[in-house]
Amino acid sequence: MPDRPSVLFVCVHNAGRSQMAAGFLQSLGQGRIDVRSAGSMPGNQINPVAVEAMAEVGIDIAGEQPKKLTDDAVVASDVVITMGCGDECPYFPGKRYEDWVLDDPAGQGIDAVRPIRDEIRARVEQLIASLD
């Protein structure tokens, strides 16, 4: 692992789970880790309920935009975390891959999104510990 590892979070729409994970890693990683997120079929905007849930814990992801997953993003990352993108995510030997099985916040209310947010935070904290 290089001095400054790079992590890519991937989900289908890059509008909820992967954006929340990227927000947590940016905040909790304190600049020690390069953070990317992308989607296999990116949506038009970030899920407003995900934005609201993250704002509740002091992390602003409102200015983010869903991004298309590219081979270059995978190649540039040391760790690739998938969240339900299935076989849409390209595989490159030598990368560390993890698949986080998480409920999809799309179409959910804030009460359903909070536990997803909290689980993502716990997983990001474990990820940071494994990279340190």
Side-chain angles (χ1 to χ4, degrees):
M1 200 68 53
D3 290 340
R4 187 175 160 104
S6 177
V7 176
L8 170 64
F9 294 102
V10 182
C11 66
V12 176
H13 300 297
N14 188 223
R17 295 167 289 188
S18 56
Q19 292 286 353
M20 288 191 287
F24 275 125
L25 188 54
Q26 287 279 24
S27 177
L28 300 173
Q30 301 175 331
R32 299 185 323 266
I33 301 164
D34 289 330
V35 182
R36 296 177 177 84
S37 70
S40 53
M41 297 183 329
N44 295 326
Q45 66 179 22
I46 302 296
N47 179 336
V49 182
V51 171
E52 178 184 355
M54 293 299 285
E56 289 180 348
V57 296
I59 298 174
D60 182 8
I61 62 169
E64 299 297 325
Q65 289 295 317
K67 294 168 271 319
K68 176 77 174 144
L69 176 64
T70 65
D71 287 353
D72 289 345
V74 177
V75 168
S77 301
D78 301 302
V79 181
V80 179
I81 309 290
T82 58
M83 304 172 177
C85 72
D87 56 7
E88 296 284 330
C89 187
Y91 177 81
F92 289 90
K95 302 290 174 192
R96 173 177 154 191
Y97 286 86
E98 292 182 22
D99 185 42
W100 292 359
V101 179
L102 299 161
D103 290 336
D104 189 347
Q108 305 281 350
I110 190 69
D111 290 335
V113 174
R114 285 183 185 119
I116 299 167
R117 174 203 63 204
D118 296 344
E119 183 175 350
I120 291 170
R121 180 186 187 123
R123 289 177 185 237
V124 166
E125 288 170 344
Q126 292 172 348
L127 176 64
I128 292 168
S130 76
L131 295 173
D132 283 340

